[in-house]
Amino acid sequence: MSVKQVDVVVVGAGAAGMMAAATAGQRGRSVLLLDHAAKLAEKIRISGGGRCNFTNLDARPECYLSENPHYVKSALARYTQHDFIKLVERYGLGYHEKTLGQLFCDDGSQAIIDMLKAEVDAGGAIWRMETAIEAVTAVEGGGFVVQTGKETWQCQSLIVASGGLSIPQIGATAWGYELARQFGLGIVPTTAALVPLTFQPQDLWTELAGVAIDPAEVRSGKGKFREAILFTHRGVSGPAILQISSYWQAGQPISINLLPDVDLQEHFANASREAHLVTVLAEVLPRSFATVLVNSLGPNAPLKQYTPKQLSVLIERIQHWQIIPSGTVGYKKAEVTRGGVDTRQLDSKTMMAKAVPGLFFIGEVVDVTGWLGGYNFQWAWSSGYAAGSFA
Ligand code: FDA
């Protein structure tokens, strides 16, 4: 089999891979972009409920989790949210801010895929979809040989943009981690993140399924978020819970303040002493939730029948509710993967492995996890641009 030559091979034509291929190609590098999937960038297509929350106006290093928190700084500073917004505007795509700086496409996420594909094509990259890699070997003196089922390619730079483990049904694989290990790089243990949490026993939650509380304040470890939560048949979801899931460690509690903006002491003091407790609570909480809460204490009675101590216990439960999740719903429903290729072994300016010249890791495959709200795509664009600039 003849060996074809390119300057750069990019593995994974998702968000980060397309950005890297476009950037390297437009610098005049010859690029091969390959992906094992049949359909291009499925994760972008399903993102943001089909409208792709493509960046966040407030993207900054503090919005990312990593064992090496400073790692993201350089790439985020050199390709910012405003650079991506300019690209979106250059293509004339409509967008809007939904909430908290989150920018979404007006007309669906396919527009972002088409834009990135056009950018890759502008750089002249060679495409290979439905192409799996059989082997990667280092060439003595520099570079790599990448063997696919049908072809053998030799390149100076290999950019790994194969993503994380979430949503295996649309093509997520552990290939990037395996390649990192093959070249002696460490992996920060991976877990599902931006994911609903589950609780035991499930019957308590079944009664609450469908109830939303907005806002709630949720804390775990160093994380603290004030957004909506949603009870499900298996536990809790909603933006505040997805956010906290990235900070939560198995076995640790999460603490929820269901009424961060209400002084409950005062609310009880101002309420009619004849009103039933559920009625008083239903003024500030969903009635179904108030009912379950009061039932867990005993029969629903007029306020005057509760002692101050009993009301204090209730307030404590509502504002400092401590629960230990039994787990998460897993990678099938997780937006991202926490952990990945250890960034302490990568150069933060170029994304290249310090000990393996020419080998780059970008996007979700590395140990960088953004908050919910467009931060993960911004990392894909910024890290893709960084690697594409140096590969
Ligand atoms: P990405 O997953 O995009 O691409 C990896 C590519 O590599 C895929 O095309 C895959 O087929 C390919 N690949 C994998 N293994 C391979 C192999 N062995 N050989 C060849 N190719 C291989 N983020 C955000 O900022 N805003 C949002 O609105 C959302 N919404 C959202 C919704 C849902 C349901 C999910 C699951 C995720 C999100 N995200 C998000 C997260 C975001 O999608 C994610 O962080 C980025 O897509 C990561 O970009 P990457 O390019 O690293 O991986």
Side-chain angles (χ1 to χ4, degrees):
M1 204 188 277
S2 69
V3 178
K4 299 174 183 173
Q5 308 278 337
V6 277
D7 295 328
V8 183
V9 170
V10 182
V11 180
M18 282 202 280
M19 182 53 107
T23 307
Q26 291 179 26
R27 276 175 52 230
R29 304 284 279 163
S30 59
V31 179
L32 168 73
L33 175 57
L34 67 83
D35 199 297
H36 71 156
K39 254 188 120 183
L40 180 61
E42 275 291 85
K43 230 176 237 179
I44 300 181
R45 193 180 58 76
I46 63 170
S47 69
R51 287 188 183 273
C52 187
N53 175 195
F54 56 81
T55 193
N56 194 295
L57 291 172
D58 193 35
R60 60 200 144 86
E62 295 73 30
C63 308
Y64 294 85
L65 290 86
S66 172
E67 291 288 300
N68 177 15
H70 299 297
Y71 183 71
V72 296
K73 286 184 176 168
S74 170
L76 287 176
R78 281 182 300 117
Y79 191 90
T80 70
Q81 56 271 46
H82 304 291
D83 293 315
F84 195 77
I85 293 166
K86 267 190 222 142
L87 181 64
V88 165
E89 288 175 350
R90 184 151 61 80
Y91 276 76
L93 309 186
Y95 66 90
H96 58 277
E97 180 182 350
K98 198 165 166 189
T99 174
L100 301 171
Q102 301 168 6
L103 300 188
F104 285 76
C105 290
D106 290 347
D107 295 325
S109 40
Q110 187 62 41
I112 296 287
I113 301 174
D114 294 344
M115 177 188 82
L116 290 168
K117 184 168 184 306
E119 282 293 290
V120 173
D121 288 340
I126 303 163
W127 288 88
R128 290 287 185 274
M129 294 299 290
E130 292 185 84
T131 301
I133 293 176
E134 291 183 348
V136 173
T137 43
V139 176
E140 237 188 87
F144 304 88
V145 170
V146 179
Q147 217 165 317
T148 72
K150 294 187 191 143
E151 297 169 309
T152 303
W153 294 87
Q154 187 165 345
C155 58
Q156 292 162 6
S157 299
L158 176 62
I159 302 182
V160 178
S162 53
L165 295 171
S166 38
I167 324 280
Q169 31 321 9
I170 56 166
T173 71
W175 184 83
Y177 310 127
E178 286 154 19
L179 189 88
R181 285 196 193 99
Q182 180 191 328
F183 284 92
L185 303 183
I187 305 293
V188 173
T190 54
T191 51
L194 297 184
V195 63
L197 299 172
T198 55
F199 294 100
Q200 299 290 347
Q202 285 180 5
D203 28 326
L204 167 70
W205 307 95
T206 308
E207 271 187 84
L208 292 173
V211 173
I213 293 180
D214 186 11
E217 198 170 272
V218 184
R219 295 164 186 252
S220 193
K222 288 185 183 155
K224 177 177 151 195
F225 295 92
R226 173 190 278 243
E227 278 183 80
I229 66 171
L230 172 71
F231 291 91
T232 70
H233 286 278
R234 296 180 62 189
V236 211
S237 185
I241 295 294
L242 299 185
Q243 298 279 32
I244 213 67
S245 71
S246 298
Y247 289 82
W248 175 70
Q249 303 285 344
Q252 294 298 309
I254 62 169
S255 164
I256 306 181
N257 182 347
L258 295 160
L259 283 173
D261 297 326
V262 176
D263 182 338
L264 266 179
Q265 257 347 331
E266 195 180 305
H267 182 67
F268 286 137
N270 293 337
S272 156
R273 306 282 300 148
E274 305 303 322
H276 279 67
L277 184 55
V278 168
T279 308
V280 176
L281 277 177
E283 286 166 13
V284 286
L285 281 169
R287 175 169 285 274
S288 49
F289 187 80
T291 306
V292 171
L293 201 66
V294 172
N295 285 349
S296 72
L297 298 175
N300 182 22
L303 200 53
K304 64 183 179 195
Q305 291 185 21
Y306 293 89
T307 63
K309 179 136 191 259
Q310 281 175 311
L311 291 180
S312 294
V313 169
L314 187 67
I315 291 172
E316 179 68 16
R317 264 195 207 185
I318 293 173
Q319 296 192 316
H320 300 279
W321 189 23
Q322 294 265 339
I323 33 179
I324 299 184
S326 55
T328 76
V329 299
Y331 287 115
K332 271 190 182 169
K333 296 266 157 111
E335 281 207 8
V336 292
T337 301
R338 186 174 74 194
V341 177
D342 194 331
T343 59
R344 289 168 288 209
Q345 302 157 333
L346 307 178
D347 180 84
S348 67
K349 187 170 171 202
T350 63
M351 312 281 117
M352 191 171 78
K354 290 173 189 164
V356 190
L359 182 61
F360 299 73
F361 292 86
I362 56 172
E364 201 182 314
V365 74
V366 305
D367 170 36
V368 170
T369 306
W371 288 354
L372 183 78
Y375 299 94
N376 285 294
F377 277 138
Q378 186 56 46
W379 171 245
W381 318 138
S382 298
S383 60
Y385 179 82
S389 302
F390 291 97

